[in-house]
Amino acid sequence: MLAIPQGLVDASMVVFFTFIIGGLFIVIRTTGVIDIAVDKLTRRLANRSVLILPLMIALRFDSITAVGVALLVTTAGFSAGVLNPINTGLGQMIAEVPIYSGAGLRSMLFLLLIGSGVLNITRCALKVRANPEFSLMADDSKEAEKRRH
């Protein structure tokens, strides 16, 4: 009968850590800070499109390139988890190892994943931008409309 309350007491650090991180994310989303930052970045760097691959749709790169960038940053960040409070911080807390131990190795992994991904996506994006027929979406009418504007 006391197993659930005792389990919550034993895991109180994990439970409160999860609540605090969740609340932090809600505050950040509610304030609109991320939307404002992306808008300012887009306006400031619009003429340097090769340097800003995450803004590909707005800069008329094909949709496949934009998806590649979104997947690259998401999977590299999640896989390496250098400072990720959920999969690294919480996982290490549950495993009872020092919090954020191995950060150097995870940082190297992150840089390797991002570096190789950026090189491949940039090469592919420039190839498609030079000749849109190389895109997997070349026959799509919405992609063609994007290139006209």
Side-chain angles (χ1 to χ4, degrees):
M1 188 102 159
L2 296 175
I4 292 175
Q6 186 60 43
L8 286 172
V9 169
D10 292 345
S12 61
M13 280 185 57
V14 172
V15 171
F16 287 112
F17 180 76
T18 305
F19 286 155
I20 289 169
I21 295 300
L24 176 69
F25 285 131
I26 288 174
V27 169
I28 289 172
R29 292 220 36 195
T30 303
T31 60
V33 170
I34 294 172
D35 296 331
I36 292 167
V38 168
D39 184 57
K40 284 187 178 193
L41 184 66
T42 305
R43 292 175 193 281
R44 179 175 289 163
L45 302 172
N47 293 330
R48 296 179 228 156
S49 60
V50 175
L51 300 175
I52 309 164
L53 289 177
L55 306 173
M56 265 137 330
I57 295 294
L59 298 170
R60 296 195 185 114
F61 284 99
D62 70 330
S63 297
I64 298 296
T65 305
V67 168
V69 170
L71 289 175
L72 168 69
V73 297
T74 304
T75 56
F78 189 80
S79 297
V82 179
L83 296 174
N84 189 321
I86 301 300
N87 52 315
T88 303
L90 189 59
Q92 289 182 328
M93 192 180 293
I94 291 169
E96 297 179 0
V97 297
I99 301 290
Y100 299 114
S101 60
L105 178 63
R106 284 192 310 277
S107 296
M108 288 175 33
L109 173 64
F110 179 73
L111 292 174
L112 180 68
L113 291 170
I114 291 292
S116 63
V118 166
L119 287 174
N120 283 310
I121 290 171
T122 302
R123 182 180 54 89
C124 194
L126 293 175
K127 182 178 175 182
V128 168
R129 194 167 190 188
N131 185 356
E133 296 303 313
F134 287 130
S135 173
L136 295 173
M137 303 286 293
D139 296 331
D140 187 70
S141 61
K142 289 182 181 179
E143 288 291 320
E145 182 66 29
K146 254 191 337 190
R147 288 190 297 270
R148 277 193 279 269
H149 290 134

